[in-house]
Amino acid sequence: MIARIFLDHPAKVDETFVEHMAFALKFSGLLFAAAGAALVHALIPCLFEKTASGIIAKLYARTHNRGQ
């Protein structure tokens, strides 16, 4: 049961639990930054014009085909 909860998914992407946790924490931090940039852009359109979409594209490139 513990292995299924904590180890099976990281193993599918060839990572240990700690490696997967670090990747997911960095990923969530970048999503948070993208959301902040999008919020500022919504209020002041001349700021962060491509920041959020650039972060999202970078994250997609890192995760697309991961574990295949």
Side-chain angles (χ1 to χ4, degrees):
M1 176 81 152
I2 297 297
R4 184 176 61 82
I5 294 171
F6 294 104
L7 303 176
D8 286 356
H9 173 66
K12 289 178 185 176
V13 291
D14 197 31
E15 292 175 342
T16 66
F17 172 78
V18 174
E19 289 171 332
H20 190 70
M21 182 175 59
F23 181 87
L25 287 170
K26 184 176 179 181
F27 194 94
S28 67
L30 288 169
L31 285 173
F32 186 74
L39 177 63
V40 171
H41 177 72
L43 299 171
I44 308 168
C46 67
L47 298 178
F48 303 114
E49 292 180 12
K50 297 181 180 181
T51 304
S53 60
I55 292 171
I56 299 301
K58 190 181 300 185
L59 290 174
Y60 176 78
R62 288 183 189 170
T63 58
H64 186 67
N65 294 327
R66 196 163 172 242
Q68 293 183 0

